[in-house]
Amino acid sequence: NLGALGGALLAAVLIDTWGRKGTMLLGFSLTSLGVLFLCFAGTPHWVMAAYTLIMFSVVWATNAAYVVSSEILPVHNRATGLGISVAAGRVGAFAAPLLLSFLYQQTHKAGLALVTLTILSLPGPVAALIWCLKGTEGSNCSLEELSRKRLVSA
């Protein structure tokens, strides 16, 4: 989808110009806003617009997350940490349609399923906000400098 391509390209540009914190926070926040927008989409055109926004921002945020995880995780935990993150995303991608379909079948209305999806999207921006407030910005720093910053702040 063109939204995903646009998100990937924008993340590649913004991660070094805006910094990791702003890029991740805005990417995950736009994802949640896109899901909320989907709740109120009343026509197929608005549903497609919401879906495109979601794909745009999900790819934007996850591309930034790959860069950030390689910078903030210790070398001996990096592959495991990224693997757990990817696995959790895949489990969510598998389980969410099952859960949302179940909720829809129980109520025969999309509202509860879409509100649930919105709630499930919130840990991303919340975690990004916490990291923005307490984490180390990795822009324009070597991995060695980031390691020193983490040791000093610990």
Side-chain angles (χ1 to χ4, degrees), residues 3 8 14-15 34 50 91 95 97:
L14 292 183
I15 196 125
V91 168

Side-chain angles (χ1 to χ4, degrees), residues 56-141:
F56 173 84
S57 53
V58 162
V59 171
W60 170 353
T62 54
N63 282 0
Y66 287 131
V67 172
V68 169
S69 66
S70 69
E71 293 175 343
I72 65 172
L73 294 172
V75 172
H76 60 280
N77 293 340
R78 194 170 294 155
T80 303
L82 187 55
I84 290 170
S85 172
V86 170
R90 301 250 167 97
V91 168
F94 173 79
L98 298 174
L99 172 64
L100 300 176
S101 296
F102 173 78
L103 292 173
Y104 179 77
Q105 288 173 354
Q106 299 304 308
T107 62
H108 300 289
K109 295 180 183 171
L112 180 59
L114 291 172
V115 168
T116 302
L117 184 60
T118 303
I119 291 167
L120 291 173
S121 75
L122 294 176
V126 170
L129 179 61
I130 292 168
W131 180 61
C132 281
L133 297 173
K134 298 182 180 242
T136 302
E137 175 62 58
S139 293
N140 301 316
C141 293

Side-chain angles (χ1 to χ4, degrees), residues 27-50:
F28 282 118
S29 297
L30 283 176
T31 300
S32 292
L33 286 175
V35 173
L36 184 63
F37 179 40
L38 184 62
C39 290
F40 298 102
T43 67
H45 290 92
W46 286 113
V47 169
M48 185 58 96

